[in-house]
Structures are given as structure tokens and as C-alpha cells.
Amino acid sequence: MAQLKELMTTPPMTAEQHAVIMRERIKHRRMLEEAKELKKSGDDRFDGKD
């Protein structure tokens, strides 16, 4: 948690920093969506059996 003064005096992130964060979010979301699709399709890796 940050104090309001710290938040107000911190310079905004650059476009490059924002792009990096957004790329990571998109990558993680795609991984989750792919895993959900594989699970839905009945892929053996997600059935919980060894």
C-alpha cells in the first residue's frame, strides 16, 4: 500500500513499460484460455489421473 503523496509524486509509466505489462497480461490470458480449451476437449493432461 502506498501513501497518496507517493502516488501523486511518482512519474507515470512510460509507453514502453505499459506495453511490456500488457504483453505479459495477454500472454497469461492466452495460456489460461488454451488450458481451458484443452480441458474442455478432454485432453488427458487435465483429467487428474496419473
Side-chain angles (χ1 to χ4, degrees):
M1 299 278 290
Q3 296 294 324
L4 180 59
K5 183 178 180 182
E6 292 173 12
L7 294 174
M8 299 303 291
T9 57
T10 303
M13 75 172 71
T14 65
E16 183 178 325
Q17 290 171 322
H18 183 264
V20 169
I21 291 169
M22 293 308 294
R23 280 194 294 271
E24 286 296 314
R25 282 186 182 176
I26 291 168
K27 183 173 77 171
H28 290 173
R29 184 175 356 133
R30 287 182 181 159
M31 287 171 50
L32 285 172
E33 289 173 357
E34 184 178 315
K36 286 179 184 178
E37 288 177 12
L38 287 172
K39 184 176 181 180
K40 188 184 286 187
S41 70
D43 194 310
D44 291 339
R45 289 179 284 179
F46 295 99
D47 64 5
K49 299 174 187 172
D50 288 331

